Each structure stands twice: as structure tokens, then as C-alpha cells.
Amino acid sequence: MIKVNDNFRILPESYLFSEVAARLRHFKEAHPEANVIRMDIGDVTRPLVPAAVEAMTEAVKEMSVSETFRGYGPEQGYPFLREPIARIDYQERGIDISADEIFISDGAKSDLGNLGDIFGPGLKVAVADPSYPAYVDANVIDGRGGTLEEGRWSDLIYLDCLPENDFKPSLPKERPDVIILCYPNNPTGASITKAELQEWIDYARREGSLIIYDSAYEAYVTDPSTVRSVYEAEGAKEVAIEVRSFSKTAGFTGMRCGYTVVPEALKGRFADGSEVSLRKLWNRRQCTKFNGASYIVQRGAAALYTEEGRRQVRESVAYYMENAHAIRKALREAGFEVTGGVDSPYVWARRADEPDSWALFGRLLSEAALSCTPGSGFGTLGQGYIRFTGFNSAENTAEAMSRLRKLFSATVETAE
Ligand code: MLT
């Protein structure tokens, strides 16, 4: 029999969102009549924006005749998408990123996992607690986890996110080689100012660390003082990779398209001490293991950069943000301590009388047919919290929040 990667043996049995989905399936089997409203995984519900649909329809037509048919595309992505990204997402905001520093992919999650391919052995990785579980799991699969002790991996460095620090961790005491940051944050919804980001960049420059910056939710930023790109900080191009996604803006969770920025100025070292460009390594990795995102999907993504596409994306984001605001308000009224939902579609909440995340998840599901994500699935410091997403229809959100109010009204009245 084949010898397999032992790291899978130490990895928890299932991935957080698969576990939530499995519990929902069991609940629905036992209660087929229940109309469960899902506010767990951050999966969009609105259809694709029309600009993308039109562009992809055209692309399908192109693919259906020999004159315009296309086979393999460039592994890095087509210039018709890389160029507007560089111009609109960066240059027009005063950030000097060029099209050839942008790598189109089949989504942020793949890139966040795959980036590990370019790291040397034994690197120390710092992750926030709580954080998006793929960061931790991918590093464990690659052998950078160590052993699991009381919910924490011995070889990872944890950055504590607590109400006392507004869920924004301090700089680590022990030096990490790689620091994974996510702002606006999943799951807490915390956002970061330019001055706060600058501290991380200065730290990384001083310590020779690499920052992987997940900004999948940057389109949800409404506060002008909140950072949207890591490259807004001075010197970030020498220490940071940025990962972005079209999933949550244009409804691409099922289409799969995102991009990663690896600036030319970013350097690493081989074991013999010689310097190498990380952009070059990532390009080499992609050429070997990836044949590029689908032409049709890239055409759809490029349409998001037209005036019409940009307006439609803004509308979609605003729609989900209305939901997030409604969730925030309802949770507060129901006696929860609440954060997030301002520059982020996620709302992070807890109640003093419900200390266990999975128990609260179970209660909401069985008593209100409402599903959320248990905070403990994002890390030990998520225990007691639950996360709601604004990704649903306004009608479902209103119904969900009315169920929630009803469920907790007795407790709130008693408390008053
Ligand atoms: C989440 O719910 O945290 C995200 O939607 C999951 C993802 O983007 O993969």
C-alpha cells in the first residue's frame, strides 16, 4: 500500500464548513419540514452580476466557433484581466502594481494553500486566533503544524484576537517567517487603519518576515480610514503578497476566480544564501501545477472592471451590507455582544449565558431553524462566539432575525 502524508492523520477529521454542512444535512433529514435559513458559510446568494453574465455569454459564443476558439491560456491569466486589475484596483488608488505582478487563479482559497509550495522547510508561520481555518489546515498538511495541543498547533505562532484588542492582534513576541493577516477580517469583521498596517509592514521589514495578506473582503470597506490593500503601507511591496477574490463581490463563489499579487520587489533566499524573486518562483509554480483560470470566467471577471460592472458590484456589496447591519442590530437587541458588520459582511457575536459555540449553534438550529458558524471552529479564542453572514436575501435575513429575537426575547426581558 502507498505510504501517505502523515499530516492528514493529525488533521481534525473534517474541515469546519464541511462539518457545519454535515450537521445541517442530519438536521434536515430528521426535520424535513424545517425551513432552515443558512447564515453560516460566506456563500453568496445573489445571481451573477449582469455585466459578467453578458461577457461570459459572448465568451461561450467565441469558444463555439473555430475562428475565435481558445485552448490553453496563459498560466498567469489573460492581459485583458490583469491590466484592468492593475489599473483600477491599484494604480488609480495611487499604488504602483503592474499587470505582470498579478496572477489570476481559480480563487483565493487555492492560492492561500498553494503559496506554501514556495516556502522552504521548517518555516514558522503566524496565524490569528480566530482565523479562516484554511490557513491553519493548509500549513498542517504541509508539515508546519507540529502537534495539536488543546486546540493549538505547537509549531504555529498564534496572534490573539480578543475584545480587549478590538480583535486586532499585537505584534508577535516570537519571530515568524510568515505572517498571515486578513482584513477586513474573517471571522471577526475587524478592519485595520493605515497606521496599524504600517506597524506590521515595518515589523516584517525589520524581521525579514513575509506577510500573506488576504483581502478577499476589501470591497466591503466603507470607512475611508480603513485599509483596502496591504500596499497602501509604505514598503509593503518588499514584504507582502496580497490575495483577492471575485467570490464575494460579483457572486463568483461557484465560478472560481481570484488573483494574487506577488510584487517583483519581493525576494527570498535559497538554502545557499542566494537571492531569488518570489514572483519568479510563484510563476514557476503556477506554470507547473496550474493551466490558468477558464477563459470564459476571466472574461466575466474582466467585465467587472467596466463602468457598468463596477456599479453592479457596488450594488451587490451594498445589498449584503444592509443585511449585515440588520444582523448586527438584531443580535444587539437580543442581548448579544456584537462586533463586525461595518466594513465586513461578517458579524461576530457572543452571549454571556451561552459559553459553548457548538452548543449555541445547535440551539439556534433546533429551536429557530437558523444556521450560523460556530466561532470555536476558527480557533480556541473563538469559543463562545458565533458568526453570521450577510450573504442571504434581505427577506431571509429579516425572517432569521425575527426568529432570533423571538428565541431570546424571554432572556432579554428577564435581564431587563
Ligand atoms: C467563510 O465562510 O469563511 C468563507 O466563505 C469560506 C471561503 O471563502 O472559503
Side-chain angles (χ1 to χ4, degrees), residues 321-331 397-398 401 405:
M321 278 310 290
E322 281 292 307
N323 292 344
H325 294 156
I327 296 167
R328 251 178 89 89
K329 185 164 177 288
L331 282 165
T397 304
M401 291 305 111
R405 279 195 184 94

Side-chain angles (χ1 to χ4, degrees), residues 357-380:
S357 300
W358 279 107
L360 182 52
F361 163 88
R363 180 169 177 211
L364 287 171
L365 186 58
S366 59
E367 296 179 31
L370 199 56
S371 108
C372 60
T373 308
S376 55
F378 296 97
T380 55

Side-chain angles (χ1 to χ4, degrees), residues 15 17 40-43 109 132 186 217 248 346 378 387:
Y15 182 63
F17 295 106
D40 48 277
I41 191 164
D43 194 3
K109 189 182 189 179
Y132 178 45
N186 177 14
Y217 301 95
K248 316 292 161 93
Y346 295 124
F378 296 97
R387 191 199 72 178

